[in-house]
């Protein structure tokens, strides 16, 4: 196979790729979702299982996605098409790319709504809206936001419009630049918040909670939740990392940079825990509060702390930055593929944006005027979240693991990866057997077939 070139351009360096890929991985998953699912599931034991899943399921698929992407150098659909052709496999594998495009669009529709809440809370913090407020007033604050479709629409539209603008500017001037500016800022804010929380909060309780595993809390359900989260947090299963890999310069070691991205993503999740739980425990609040942890419990804690509004604002700014660098990656598989069909990048982004916005309006209404609409006990918001995260991501990841592990020749992989034979074999062993079995378990769980059976 001859060397291919990306028509979308390349990252300017290994560091640029690292920042962009870490920017994709680090998002609401780390700062909003991880703390609340860890909180709901007993802390330490969940954290250990999640770490194991990142190593055994997440990392092997991350390496696989980036490898396929760099080999094909196109959007996931076209990369899969050319790879299948090169390896003499069925063209049906292209379907994996299509599933991914749809998932990315669905995920962004509710992701934008949550990012919109963060923007609203950034403003609320700056206005000191929750300083010294009672628990009651704070839950009314959140209900006031989610209950108002137009206020929600304003913020999610703003978030989405800015994301689209970044995306429209292209790989280097858009995605790379945003990551270069936002990731260091995010890191500084996060460290500041951790130091603040450790000083004014209850550090000992937070450490014990996060790192002292209570294995009696562990069950099949928790295990499967942790596995699902390892997908979401590493941006796997939709081809986002694949298309980022398509822009990776030759000569950069995919193994090494993947390990760094996974480590940075995990590090940020743990630091986010250390920024949040010391505050929660200092006020004697409960860590298991579900998705509202960040928008109700945390403002309550900030509201009672010295300089709480200021650090609260820093926290919500952190969420927004993290969400922007992730949002651009969710639509990149689709934007790149439209561009390859001859659409200009601006138009491609706009077309995707219109679809995401319309679905976003559905997500917006689903928590207020349509909150009564449910299917099998799930609201539309929960349904979108469930179908994309729990069905489409595992399905995509499972197929990517199978394709890379079983359909691509070892020689092609070795050529792209350039690692020693024992390391390649170890990765393939995990990718062929451990990863698909693990993913299959998440998948069956999502369908409710083996709920609690482990
Ligand atoms: N990883 C991001 C987070 O933790 C979310 C994300 C970005 C994502 N791109 C993705 C999730 C692609 C699934 C697929 O918030």
């Amino acid at each position: 196979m001859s060397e291919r070139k990306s028509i979308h351009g390349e990252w300017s360096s290994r560091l640029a790729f690292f920042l962009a890929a870490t920017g994709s991985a680090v998002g609401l998953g780390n700062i909003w979702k991880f703390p609340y699912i860890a909180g709901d599931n007993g802390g330490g034991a969940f954290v250990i299982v999640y770490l194991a899943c990142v190593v055994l399921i997440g990392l092997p698929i991350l390496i696989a996605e980036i490898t396929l992407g760099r080999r094909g150098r196109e959007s996931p659909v076209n990369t899969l098409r050319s790879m299948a052709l090169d390896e003499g496999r069925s063209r049906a594998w292209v379907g994996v790319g299509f599933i991914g495009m749809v998932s990315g669009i669905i995920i962004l529709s509710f992701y934008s709504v949550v990012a919109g809440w963060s923007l609203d809370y950034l403003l609320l913090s700056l206005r000191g809206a929750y300083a010294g407020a009672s628990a009651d007033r704070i839950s009314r604050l959140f209900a006031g936001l989610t209950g108002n479709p137009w206020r929600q629409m304003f913020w999610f539209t703003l978030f989405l419009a800015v994301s689209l603008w970044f995306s429209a500017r292209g790989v280097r001037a858009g995605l790379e630049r945003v990551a270069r500016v936002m990731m260091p800022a995010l890191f500084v804010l996060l460290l500041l918040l951790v130091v603040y929380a450790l000083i004014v909060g209850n550090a000992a309780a937070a450490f014990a909670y996060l790192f002292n595993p209570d294995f009696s809390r562990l069950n099949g359900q928790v295990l499967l939740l942790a596995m699902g989260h390892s997908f979401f947090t590493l941006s796997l299963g939709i081809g986002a990392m694949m298309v980022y890999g398509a822009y990776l310069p030759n000569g950069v070691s995919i193994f090494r940079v993947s390990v760094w991205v996974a480590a940075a993503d995990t590090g940020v999740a743990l630091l986010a825990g250390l920024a949040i739980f010391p505050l929660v425990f200092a006020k004697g609040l409960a860590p298991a509060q579900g998705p509202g942890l960040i928008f109700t419990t945390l403002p309550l804690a900030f509201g009672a702390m010295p300089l709480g509004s200021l650090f609260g604002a820093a926290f919500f700014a952190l969420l927004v930055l993290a969400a922007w660098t992730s949002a651009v990656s969710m639509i990149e598989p689709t934007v790149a593929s439209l561009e390859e069909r001859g659409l200009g990048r601006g138009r491609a982004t706009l077309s995707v944006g219109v679809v995401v916005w319309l679905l976003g309006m559905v997500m917006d209404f689903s928590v207020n005027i349509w909150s009564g609409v449910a299917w099998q006990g799930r609201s539309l918001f929960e349904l979108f979240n469930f179908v994309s995260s729990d069905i489409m991501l595992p399905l995509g990841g499972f197929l990517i693991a199978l394709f890379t592990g079983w359909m691509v020749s070892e020689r092609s992989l070795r050529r792209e990866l350039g690692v020693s034979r024992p390391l390649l074999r170890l990765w393939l062993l995990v990718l062929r057997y451990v990863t698909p079995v693990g993913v299959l378990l998440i998948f069956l769980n999502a369908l409710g077939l083996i709920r609690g059976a482990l």
Side-chain angles (χ1 to χ4, degrees):
M1 190 186 84
S2 59
E3 246 345 293
R4 297 193 170 95
K5 255 185 101 62
S6 156
I7 61 158
H8 314 281
E10 277 188 2
W11 309 113
S12 59
S13 63
R14 181 176 64 172
L15 178 69
F17 171 79
F18 169 76
L19 290 173
T22 305
S24 166
V26 170
L28 300 177
N30 306 59
I31 308 170
W32 164 66
K33 210 168 177 188
F34 170 74
Y36 90 73
I37 42 180
D40 285 348
N41 293 287
F46 174 87
V47 173
I48 289 187
V49 178
Y50 152 79
L51 292 179
C53 292
V54 165
V55 174
L56 292 176
I57 296 179
L59 186 59
I61 297 186
L62 178 62
I63 296 171
E65 283 205 23
I66 299 174
T67 307
L68 292 182
R70 191 166 74 179
R71 194 117 184 101
R73 291 253 180 249
E74 287 184 288
S75 64
V77 240
N78 286 329
T79 284
L80 285 162
R81 182 173 291 125
S82 58
M83 288 289 294
L85 209 73
D86 286 349
E87 304 287 335
R89 305 295 177 179
S90 159
R91 270 177 53 109
W93 286 101
V94 171
V96 179
F98 282 108
I99 300 175
M101 299 203 295
V102 176
S103 323
I105 287 171
I106 295 179
I107 293 176
L108 186 55
S109 73
F110 62 81
Y111 205 84
S112 298
V113 172
V114 180
W117 294 345
S118 311
L119 277 171
D120 191 308
Y121 268 67
L122 173 56
L123 195 71
L124 288 177
S125 310
L126 292 174
R127 297 206 328 243
Y130 51 69
S134 66
D136 196 41
R137 215 182 95 82
I138 286 187
S139 49
R140 263 184 291 137
L141 210 60
F142 189 50
L145 166 61
T146 54
N148 184 339
W150 310 115
R151 176 163 153 202
Q152 239 179 184
M153 181 186 87
F154 174 78
W155 292 113
F156 105 74
T157 305
L158 180 66
F159 174 83
L160 184 62
V162 174
S163 312
L164 295 175
W165 180 67
F166 291 150
S167 172
R169 304 201 51 184
V171 175
R172 277 219 191 161
L175 312 192
E176 176 173 328
R177 237 177 108 216
V178 170
R180 272 186 193 280
V181 174
M182 290 191 179
M183 292 314 286
L186 180 146
F187 199 65
V188 170
L189 279 178
L190 183 62
L191 287 184
L192 259 173
L193 279 157
V194 171
V195 171
Y196 170 77
L198 294 179
I199 292 173
V200 303
N202 186 344
F207 269 102
Y209 186 72
L210 280 172
F211 302 115
N212 252 348
D214 169 9
F215 285 109
S216 69
R217 293 292 301 265
L218 212 57
N219 56 37
Q221 199 59 36
V222 175
L223 193 87
L224 293 163
L225 247 173
M227 283 205 275
H229 186 62
S230 70
F231 261 93
F232 189 85
T233 191
L234 288 174
S235 304
L236 300 175
I238 72 159
M241 289 298 184
M242 205 186 290
V243 75
Y244 274 32
Y247 312 147
L248 181 63
N250 288 328
V252 174
S253 160
I254 293 178
F255 255 76
R256 202 167 305 160
V257 79
S258 301
V259 170
W260 277 107
V261 170
D265 181 64
T266 310
V268 169
L270 296 176
L271 286 174
L274 288 181
I276 292 166
F277 290 118
L279 301 177
V280 171
F281 287 122
K283 290 295 148 200
L285 301 169
Q289 286 300 322
L293 179 71
I294 295 306
F295 298 101
T296 52
T297 310
L298 201 61
L300 189 59
F302 272 125
M305 297 286 177
L307 298 176
S309 294
L310 184 69
F311 282 92
F315 179 81
F316 289 107
L318 171 78
L319 268 177
V320 174
L321 293 184
W324 261 324
T325 53
S326 297
V328 291
S329 75
M330 290 174 198
I331 50 169
E332 186 59 22
T334 314
V335 170
S337 119
L338 290 176
E339 229 187 328
E340 284 156 16
R341 286 164 167 261
L343 216 61
R345 183 141 184 129
R347 276 177 196 222
T349 317
L350 195 65
S351 327
V352 180
V354 169
V355 180
V356 175
W357 187 82
L358 288 171
L359 287 175
M361 280 313 291
V362 176
M363 294 297 93
D364 178 342
F365 291 153
S366 76
V367 294
N368 38 66
I369 55 180
W370 292 346
S371 62
V373 182
W375 190 68
Q376 301 210 329
R378 290 175 210 270
S379 69
L380 284 172
F381 193 93
E382 287 163 343
L383 204 65
F384 270 46
N385 193 347
F386 168 70
V387 171
S388 58
S389 308
D390 293 340
I391 297 190
M392 297 170 97
L393 292 189
L395 182 66
F398 178 74
L399 293 173
I400 289 167
L402 290 188
F403 182 75
T404 316
W406 297 98
M407 300 289 136
V408 179
S409 71
E410 203 175 308
R411 230 188 41 175
S412 309
L413 294 173
R414 196 175 145 83
R415 221 169 71 186
E416 198 59 52
L417 282 163
V419 288
S420 68
R421 191 160 295 221
L423 189 57
L424 185 81
R425 284 272 158 86
L426 177 68
W427 169 65
L428 270 177
L429 190 77
V430 178
L431 193 70
R432 282 179 179 163
Y433 302 99
V434 181
T435 310
V437 170
V439 174
L440 207 60
L441 291 178
I442 310 172
F443 195 41
L444 293 177
N445 170 67
L447 289 171
L449 294 180
I450 52 163
R451 196 169 293 274
L454 269 181

